[in-house]
Amino acid sequence: MVTADDPEMHSSQNEQDNRNYALAAKVPMLEPSEPQEVKEFMRIAYELSEELDTPVMMRMTTRVSHVKGVVTPDERREGPVERKIEKVPSKLVMLPAMAKTRRVYVEERMIKCCEIAETAPYNRIERGDNSKGFITGGVSYLYVKEAFPEASVLKLGMCWPLPENLIREFAASVDTLYVVEELDPFIETQLKAMGIKCIGKEVIPNQGELNTDIVRRAIDPTATKELFAAPKLPNRPPNMCAGCPHRGIFFNLSRMNVFVSGDIGCYTLGFLPPLSAMDACVCMGASVSMAHGMQKALEGAHNKIVSVIGDSTFVHTGINGLINTVYNNSASTLIILDNRITAMTGQQPNPASGSNIKGEAANALDFVALCKAVGVKHVFEVNPHDVVNTRQVLKDAIELEEMSVVISKAPCVLLPEMKRKKKIPLFTVRENCVGCTSCIRLGCPAISWTSFKDADEAEARGYKRKQKGFSSINEDHCLGCGQCASLCKFNAITKREE
Amino acid sequence: MKETGNILFSGVGGQGILLASEVTAYSLLGAGYDVKKSEVHGMAQRGGSVTAQLRFGKKVYSPLIEPGCADILMAFEMMEASRYAEYLHKDTKVIVNTQKILPPAVATGQMAYPDDVLANLRELGITVVEVDAFEIAKQVGEPKTANVVMVGAMSAFLPVDPKNYIQVIETRVKEQFRDVNLKAFEAGRNASK
């Protein structure tokens, strides 16, 4: 079982340390430092799993997962496993009688695993100068090796269970013992329980990721250097693509007095200005269940709760929330952003896409039929690029006293078939633009604003003196989705002739 | 052979930074170096600020460049040349694509684009090599090869034979884009000479 922690929360909402699961579940956990070890440890994990009849966990972190490095392949060996069903109810049917026997085995297994850990080559001492000794593992080992290349190191390739005798031997051989690990004091707590004196989270941060510089300065506060300071620059947050169908929905939500319960995907970007149309977002599927709970709690006080979820997230964990909402007679509005793909993680097909991961044709889940089947009486479909019509449909759906679902149907612009499509970009008819900024407020990366220095410049350029500036469309970026054109009341945005 | 070299790539999601760092990594690998590369993507694809870190040497442990230790900064967008200034030192070579991509606050007229970023870097004593990569790529015939133009421009500063890059492009780029990418590499290499 591979688990990846995200210290620093580069793309996560929490920094949980998954080593705690290995402790809680009483299963061994390996922790590789770099790509070559990931490959080697995977083989070791399977061997351990077979030898001890146990699941084995492998802890990855961001800087192990998102790293490329040199890997030397071994010769491929086909395993001897025959494909067949073996019935072992004493192991696979966990009723109390069988579970009680297995419970004893789990403890025996951990004792065996501790013995293995004491002599396994992946738990090794790299002997150096013994004035400082480091116990570390995972990516932290790499930072220790760079910051203190001369020091003695006990590298733990298995972070659970721990080799107590090896640790005691190492601890006794060094003057000052440091434990360097990302996030929780996991190894450190065990050492302290063994009564071994060590320095850990007193100096090493328990939040964020580590690096060579942090490790060096934590242990040697004099190792500072002067750095150039970055100037104050405009932020560059990610943005929905030009032509993204989600924009049409969030633009409308930003203009309505509703609470928007959001979810995980590209559309979480609807939170950012200028749209600023998301009020809550936790984890996959939570949009629907949070909206249900809020609607119940606020009954009679504020019924304008809207949840927004993408097609793949809806399939993943939104459907159960919707069933629960209808069953408990709640009345929020759910918007399913159906762009036919799992866009954010790199265009993986999902059960609504009509194809599988191999690119073969597959059943495309019918959302309208599904919503009706779970008991939603009011299901609407809209084209989000028609911003004005979408607003009317959303208003109608939100005003209903019963649960409603609005399915926003328009494909992701990053889909290969959309990329292949001929683009007919829009452009601004400068003389018609009155500078109302309606289109600017969409936050489309293809639309930009040019300010006039003063009224004289506006006049010189042929505009009214009171006009502050004009908008223009970058035709290299515009895909011609037409959202801005549907908002412009002055015919200042139009398509080029084909 | 220098013990270790650190290359920081910065730019805007969608500019092909990951491919550029990939071509560089394989070229260094071909020249006999150990190489590690790290980047965080996901949301960053959507027009956000993006970085990739590449380290090479006899033996590379950490995949991350220490602050103040980037030997080369490959900035794919002008403003992005100074966002990661804490990684630079006075001998850093900054190779910058002079293209401007307006972030939302600038595009919506709330902030001005800082036009003095390169001058400020030069004031710190840093070498700045300007490359109009987008324009060069257009001339080559494919604007999307601006990333390979940048790799070409950087290649003049790395201890790697140009043949290595050419071989990597030949083996890793799809056949229909191969020639235009090779041209982009050459044009970039000539641009920084």
Side-chain angles (χ1 to χ4, degrees):
Chain A
M1 187 192 306
V2 177
T3 161
D5 294 350
D6 190 13
E8 202 74 32
M9 295 177 279
H10 292 281
S11 56
S12 307
Q13 67 282 70
N14 64 2
E15 271 196 326
Q16 77 199 17
D17 189 327
N18 286 345
R19 291 178 297 175
N20 295 300
Y21 285 116
L23 185 148
K26 297 176 187 281
V27 295
M29 182 183 248
L30 299 176
E31 195 181 9
S33 302
E34 53 186 340
Q36 176 72 36
E37 277 191 350
V38 173
K39 181 194 151 292
E40 286 168 9
F41 281 20
M42 187 54 79
R43 184 179 52 80
I44 293 167
Y46 273 105
E47 284 168 359
L48 270 175
S49 176
E50 287 301 302
E51 185 181 345
L52 299 174
D53 194 15
T54 175
V56 176
M57 292 181 78
M58 180 125 108
R59 185 206 192 198
M60 308 279 281
T61 53
T62 304
R63 300 299 180 178
V64 179
S65 300
H66 285 273
V67 162
K68 289 196 173 180
V70 182
V71 175
T72 313
D74 282 335
E75 218 167 285
R76 187 178 169 82
R77 279 180 301 162
E78 293 295 331
V81 179
E82 188 191 339
R83 289 216 283 180
K84 59 171 187 194
I85 286 176
E86 198 181 325
K87 293 193 177 185
V88 199
S90 61
K91 179 182 158 187
L92 300 178
V93 184
M94 282 300 101
L95 287 171
M98 273 83 91
K100 280 174 185 164
T101 319
R102 289 299 286 177
R103 175 75 187 85
V104 176
Y105 178 67
V106 166
E107 294 304 326
E108 289 168 3
R109 181 170 83 187
M110 280 317 272
I111 291 167
K112 270 193 216 162
C113 195
C114 286
E115 284 166 12
I116 292 172
E118 291 289 354
T119 54
Y122 42 82
N123 287 335
R124 64 167 188 263
I125 292 172
E126 294 175 5
R127 194 55 73 185
D129 172 11
N130 287 333
S131 61
K132 283 191 189 73
F134 291 88
I135 296 185
T136 183
V139 74
S140 305
Y141 162 79
L142 304 176
Y143 305 142
V144 168
K145 289 298 278 187
E146 286 210 347
F148 299 97
E150 73 292 342
S152 287
V153 175
L154 169 55
K155 181 189 188 298
L156 296 176
M158 183 189 278
C159 60
W160 190 252
L162 292 174
E164 186 170 345
N165 295 331
L166 185 66
I167 288 172
R168 286 191 187 282
E169 176 201 325
F170 182 74
S173 72
V174 298
D175 300 340
T176 312
L177 180 64
Y178 295 93
V179 179
V180 180
E181 53 192 328
E182 276 183 337
L183 302 181
D184 292 347
F186 182 82
I187 299 171
E188 179 187 342
T189 304
Q190 296 299 323
L191 257 65
K192 287 186 172 159
M194 293 172 197
I196 296 170
K197 205 175 153 207
C198 63
I199 299 171
K201 294 296 168 185
E202 299 96 318
V203 297
I204 303 289
N206 67 353
Q207 295 171 40
E209 66 181 0
L210 302 178
N211 60 38
T212 305
D213 185 55
I214 291 171
V215 171
R216 187 187 294 114
R217 281 188 292 116
I219 286 156
D220 177 9
T222 63
T224 53
K225 54 188 164 192
E226 271 193 39
L227 300 174
F228 295 133
K232 200 161 165 37
L233 297 172
N235 285 339
R236 196 185 289 280
N239 191 0
M240 293 173 201
C241 305
C244 176
H246 302 333
R247 185 173 282 109
I249 295 292
F250 286 102
F251 178 81
N252 279 319
L253 290 175
S254 73
R255 270 147 186 76
M256 297 172 136
N257 178 28
V258 290
F259 185 95
V260 180
S261 172
D263 225 293
I264 307 288
C266 288
Y267 48 93
T268 315
L269 296 172
F271 160 75
L272 293 172
L275 300 171
S276 307
M278 191 174 287
D279 303 302
C281 171
V282 188
C283 61
M284 288 177 73
S287 59
V288 194
S289 7
M290 284 195 299
H292 167 49
M294 284 186 71
Q295 199 276 338
K296 280 287 170 200
L298 295 169
E299 222 153 39
H302 186 13
N303 287 333
K304 310 289 184 196
I305 313 287
V306 175
S307 50
V308 182
I309 192 166
D311 52 346
S312 67
T313 314
F314 178 66
V315 174
H316 178 267
T317 36
I319 298 170
N320 34 10
L322 181 61
I323 293 171
N324 195 38
T325 308
V326 176
Y327 178 59
N328 286 296
N329 199 23
S330 217
S332 57
T333 297
L334 166 66
I335 303 171
I336 302 172
L337 303 169
D338 182 8
N339 66 355
R340 299 276 102 187
I341 204 75
T342 316
M344 185 178 72
T345 48
Q347 306 289 313
Q348 293 81 11
N350 64 58
S353 304
S355 61
N356 66 19
I357 197 81
K358 295 175 184 164
E360 301 158 347
N363 176 58
L365 191 57
D366 180 341
F367 285 139
V368 176
L370 184 133
C371 291
K372 293 206 163 151
V374 304
V376 181
K377 290 182 205 144
H378 313 282
V379 184
F380 306 83
E381 288 185 293
V382 290
N383 168 13
H385 295 308
D386 185 343
V387 179
V388 178
N389 179 56
T390 298
R391 183 172 313 171
Q392 193 54 52
V393 173
L394 287 175
K395 270 188 180 163
D396 293 346
I398 291 166
E399 273 168 19
L400 289 166
E401 300 278 312
E402 292 179 306
M403 183 69 202
S404 58
V405 174
V406 178
I407 301 165
S408 162
K409 282 181 82 83
C412 173
V413 296
L414 296 177
L415 281 173
E417 58 266 36
M418 293 300 284
K419 282 184 172 173
R420 279 195 296 270
K421 247 177 137 175
K422 190 177 183 302
K423 292 164 204 155
I424 308 167
L426 300 167
F427 73 106
T428 38
V429 184
R430 284 282 167 79
E431 56 273 25
N432 289 359
C433 179
V434 300
C436 73
T437 70
S438 282
C439 57
I440 292 289
R441 277 177 258 158
L442 278 166
C444 173
I447 307 176
S448 61
W449 174 255
T450 310
S451 297
F452 298 135
K453 278 188 208 78
D454 48 32
D456 290 346
E457 192 194 343
E459 194 170 23
R461 285 184 177 235
Y463 295 101
K464 286 186 179 152
R465 289 185 65 84
K466 64 174 185 186
Q467 189 166 332
K468 300 280 183 239
F470 60 88
S471 64
S472 39
I473 293 174
N474 181 334
E475 291 182 50
D476 285 337
H477 293 161
C478 177
L479 303 178
C481 75
Q483 291 179 23
C484 53
S486 82
L487 284 172
C488 182
K489 293 180 179 139
F490 303 95
N491 290 322
I493 299 176
T494 183
K495 266 192 165 74
R496 285 246 180 257
E497 293 302 317
E498 278 185 66
Chain B
M1 192 197 269
K2 204 177 161 241
E3 196 70 12
T4 335
N6 300 320
I7 309 172
L8 179 66
F9 296 76
S10 71
V12 180
Q15 284 193 296
I17 290 158
L18 301 188
L19 178 79
S21 64
E22 200 89 347
V23 170
T24 311
Y26 278 106
S27 306
L28 284 157
L29 206 59
Y33 291 95
D34 184 19
V35 180
K36 271 207 184 104
K37 191 167 92 74
S38 179
E39 70 248 343
V40 175
H41 24 80
M43 283 284 210
Q45 278 183 37
R46 311 288 179 260
S49 180
V50 178
T51 60
Q53 311 200 8
L54 190 158
R55 306 190 65 220
F56 66 95
K58 280 179 191 160
K59 163 78 189 159
V60 178
Y61 284 102
S62 166
L64 297 179
I65 299 171
E66 282 191 61
C69 291
D71 301 302
I72 292 177
L73 168 65
M74 286 268 275
F76 282 61
E77 197 275 350
M78 199 157 80
M79 189 201 300
E80 299 306 310
S82 63
R83 194 178 297 278
Y84 304 96
E86 62 165 342
Y87 282 92
L88 312 183
H89 55 83
K90 64 178 179 35
D91 296 321
T92 306
K93 306 271 183 295
V94 176
I95 296 145
V96 57
N97 176 9
T98 50
Q99 188 188 354
K100 290 182 189 174
I101 299 173
L102 308 184
V106 175
T108 52
Q110 292 153 23
M111 285 178 92
Y113 190 98
D115 279 315
D116 51 358
V117 289
L118 300 187
N120 290 345
L121 286 174
R122 287 192 173 108
E123 249 172 53
L124 299 171
I126 291 169
T127 310
V128 178
V129 181
E130 295 181 39
V131 183
D132 195 348
F134 192 61
E135 205 41 56
I136 294 171
K138 273 192 197 165
Q139 283 166 20
V140 165
E142 176 50 69
K144 283 183 189 150
T145 61
N147 56 351
V148 176
V149 171
M150 288 294 288
V151 174
M154 175 184 59
S155 70
F157 299 96
L158 282 183
V160 177
D161 192 309
K163 278 184 212 151
N164 282 306
Y165 299 93
I166 291 165
Q167 200 193 351
V168 171
I169 293 168
E170 278 173 348
T171 50
R172 306 218 154 248
V173 176
K174 274 190 198 156
E175 201 180 345
Q176 74 244 50
F177 304 118
R178 208 167 284 162
D179 284 344
V180 74
N181 274 287
L182 288 170
K183 273 188 212 158
F185 175 79
E186 275 309 316
R189 192 168 167 89
N190 292 331
S192 72
K193 271 179 186 166

